[in-house]
C-alpha cells in the first residue's frame, strides 16, 4: 500500500497531505510602497512521492509558461497526484510588471543564480528562490519562450551529461532536444549544484500566447509526472514519439539589410543550399536570397521582417536521422493543430 504523504514544510509553514495552498513569498516593496511577492501554489498529494517544481517567467516577458502552469493546476488529472507539485508561474515578477525579460536594473535573473543575500537585486531574488523553493524540490521544469519577435519550435534544452535530466527530457515527449551545457548563473546551474535535475522547455515567442506551444507544454509536464510515477500511467498505452537530439544548431544571419520574406515555418526541413527566404529593399529590385548553409530543421525563427545585415533570421538544428525527425515533427504538428 502506498505510504501516506508527509506534510511538506515550505516558507515556514507545513502543508498537509491531500491539500493545496497558495504562498506569497515576499521579495520587498516597489518604490511605490506596494508589497511585492512571488506567488507559489503547493499541491500535496494523498501519498508520498517525488517533489517536482514547475516554474515560468524567469524572463519576465515569456508568458506561455505562465499559462502552462495555470492549466496544469486546473487539470482534472492532478487529483491523482502522488508526491508534491510546487508551481511558480511568475518568478521574475518585477520583469513581468515592466513587460520585460530583465529586472529593473537590466540584469537577467537567469544569470544571477544561485545569488546571495547581500548581492544585487537579481542575486537576492535568486538566493531567496533557491533557499525557499528550489532546495525543497527533487526535480524541476523551467518554462521559457523565444525572445521578443522570435519563436522557438517546442523543444527541450538539457545538459545531456546529467543522465537524470536527460531522462526527464526524453519523458517530456516533444520531438526536439537540444544539448545545452549549463550556463553560469542559470537556474539549471543552481539545480546542478544541488543535485536537482532541471530541464528547460522553450516554445513560442515572448509576450504572446501560442496555443500549440502551451498545449504541448501541459502534455509534456504531465508526461514527466507520469515518468516520475507522480501520476498513474495512461489507460490506453499510447506510445510516445521519440525525441531527437540535435548534433548542433546555429542561426542563419541576414546577408543584407532590408525586409525578409521567409519561405519556411518552424519545423520545416531544408536542404543545404536551399533558398530559405529573400531579403529585398522597400522599392524592390535588390533581392538577396538567404541560403541554407547546411541541411537541417528550422527550430527557431524571427517574426519581424525588418532586418539589418548580421541579424539572426532562422535557427537551424543539425540531426543525423533527419528523415525520422521530419516525420515525427509532422506528426507533432498535426497533433497540435497543424500550426506552430
Ligand atoms: Zn527565457
Amino acid at each position: 500500500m502506498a505510504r501516506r504523504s508527509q506534510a511538506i514544510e515550505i516558507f515556514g509553514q507545513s502543508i498537509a497531505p491531500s491539500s493545496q495552498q497558495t504562498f506569497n513569498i515576499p521579495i520587498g516593496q516597489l518604490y511605490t510602497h506596494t508589497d511585492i511577492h512571488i506567488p507559489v501554489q503547493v499541491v500535496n498529494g494523498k501519498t508520498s512521492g517525488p517533489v517536482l517544481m514547475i516554474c515560468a517567467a524567469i524572463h519576465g516577458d515569456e508568458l506561455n509558461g505562465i499559462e502552462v502552469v495555470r492549466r496544469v493546476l486546473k487539470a482534472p488529472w492532478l487529483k491523482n497526484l502522488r508526491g508534491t507539485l510546487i508551481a511558480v508561474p511568475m518568478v521574475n515578477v518585477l520583469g513581468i510588471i515592466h513587460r520585460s525579460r530583465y529586472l529593473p536594473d537590466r540584469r537577467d535573473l537567469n544569470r544571477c543564480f544561485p545569488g546571495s543575500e547581500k548581492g544585487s537585486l537579481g542575486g537576492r531574488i535568486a538566493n531567496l528562490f533557491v533557499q525557499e523553493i528550489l532546495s525543497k524540490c527533487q526535480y524541476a521544469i523551467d518554462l521559457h519562450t523565444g525572445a521578443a519577435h522570435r519563436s522557438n519550435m517546442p523543444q527541450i534544452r538539457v545538459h545531456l551529461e546529467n543522465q537524470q535530466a536527460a531522462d526527464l527530457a526524453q519523458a517530456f515527449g516533444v520531438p526536439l532536444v537540444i544539448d545545452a551545457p549549463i550556463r553560469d548563473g542559470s537556474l539549471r546551474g543552481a539545480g546542478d549544484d544541488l543535485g536537482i535535475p532541471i530541464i528547460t522547455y522553450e516554445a513560442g515567442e515572448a509576450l504572446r500566447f501560442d496555443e500549440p506551444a502551451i498545449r504541448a507544454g501541459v502534455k509534456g509536464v504531465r508526461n514527466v509526472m507520469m515518468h516520475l510515477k507522480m501520476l498513474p500511467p495512461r489507460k490506453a498505452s499510447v506510445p510516445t514519439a521519440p525525441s531527437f537530439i540535435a548534433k548542433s544548431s546555429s542561426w542563419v544571419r541576414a546577408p543584407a539589410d532590408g525586409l525578409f520574406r521567409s519561405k519556411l515555418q518552424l519545423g520545416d526541413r531544408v536542404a543545404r543550399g536551399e533558398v530559405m527566404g529573400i531579403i529585398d529593399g522597400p522599392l524592390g529590385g535588390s533581392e538577396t536570397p538567404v541560403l541554407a548553409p547546411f541541411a537541417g530543421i528550422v527550430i527557431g525563427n524571427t517574426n519581424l521582417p525588418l532586418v539589418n545585415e548580421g541579424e539572426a533570421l532562422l535557427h537551424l538544428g543539425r540531426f543525423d536521422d533527419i528523415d525520422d525527425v521530419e516525420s515525427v515533427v509532422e506528426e507533432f504538428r498535426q497533433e497540435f493543430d497543424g500550426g506552430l
Side-chain angles (χ1 to χ4, degrees), residues 59 62 101 144-145:
H59 293 133
E62 299 183 359
R101 174 183 178 89
H144 286 252
T145 75

Side-chain angles (χ1 to χ4, degrees), residues 16-265:
S18 297
S19 69
Q20 52 175 297
Q21 203 165 322
T22 307
F23 288 91
N24 292 321
I25 299 197
I27 55 168
Q29 286 187 334
L30 296 175
Y31 33 63
T32 55
H33 193 68
T34 306
D35 288 336
I36 187 155
H37 56 255
I38 299 176
V40 179
Q41 188 77 7
V42 179
V43 186
N44 207 8
K46 232 185 279 183
T47 52
S48 62
V51 182
L52 170 73
M53 178 184 70
I54 53 174
C55 67
I58 280 190
H59 293 133
D61 60 353
E62 299 183 359
L63 310 182
N64 283 333
I66 300 172
E67 179 61 7
V68 170
V69 172
R70 190 191 69 81
R71 290 191 196 182
V72 168
L73 288 171
K74 290 270 175 202
W77 42 259
L78 200 60
K79 289 190 190 77
N80 301 318
L81 177 69
R82 177 178 161 267
T84 305
L85 178 71
I86 299 180
V88 193
M90 293 179 170
V91 179
N92 184 358
V93 282
L94 293 169
I96 291 163
I97 288 169
H98 295 280
R99 300 177 182 176
S100 165
R101 174 183 178 89
Y102 300 107
L103 290 161
D105 64 0
R106 306 176 84 166
R107 282 186 200 235
D108 182 335
L109 180 55
N110 209 24
R111 301 289 176 271
C112 295
F113 286 92
S116 68
E117 229 173 302
K118 300 274 177 231
S120 67
L121 171 64
R124 290 171 195 222
I125 295 171
N127 174 62
L128 184 76
F129 191 81
V130 169
Q131 299 306 321
E132 298 299 339
I133 302 171
L134 183 65
S135 60
K136 310 287 194 279
C137 307
Q138 290 167 281
Y139 307 92
I141 304 173
D142 186 19
L143 303 163
H144 286 252
T145 75
H149 310 303
R150 289 185 206 289
S151 287
N152 282 327
M153 168 92 190
Q155 59 194 258
I156 291 291
R157 302 210 180 149
V158 65
H159 192 206
L160 290 169
E161 275 181 23
N162 182 329
Q163 189 55 51
Q164 272 187 303
D167 291 345
L168 296 183
Q170 285 289 338
F172 196 93
V174 288
L176 307 179
V177 172
I178 315 293
D179 189 11
I182 301 289
R183 276 202 173 163
D184 275 354
S186 66
L187 179 71
R188 280 198 295 133
D192 227 38
D193 294 343
L194 294 168
I196 300 164
I198 301 182
I199 57 171
T200 301
Y201 176 59
E202 281 277 357
E205 181 186 344
L207 294 172
R208 301 275 181 272
F209 273 170
D210 178 320
E211 183 61 25
I214 291 165
R215 284 176 41 219
V218 173
K219 187 177 177 190
V221 169
R222 187 182 183 192
N223 285 342
V224 167
M225 292 175 78
M226 287 193 288
H227 166 77
L228 295 172
K229 301 198 165 39
M230 296 175 75
L231 294 173
R234 279 199 186 85
K235 280 188 189 115
S237 69
V238 186
T240 315
S243 299
F244 294 92
I245 298 160
K247 281 200 299 185
S248 64
S249 69
S250 51
W251 279 93
V252 179
R253 297 185 175 278
D257 310 304
L259 290 106
F260 176 54
R261 305 193 302 273
S262 178
K263 293 181 186 291
L264 298 170
Q265 296 190 332

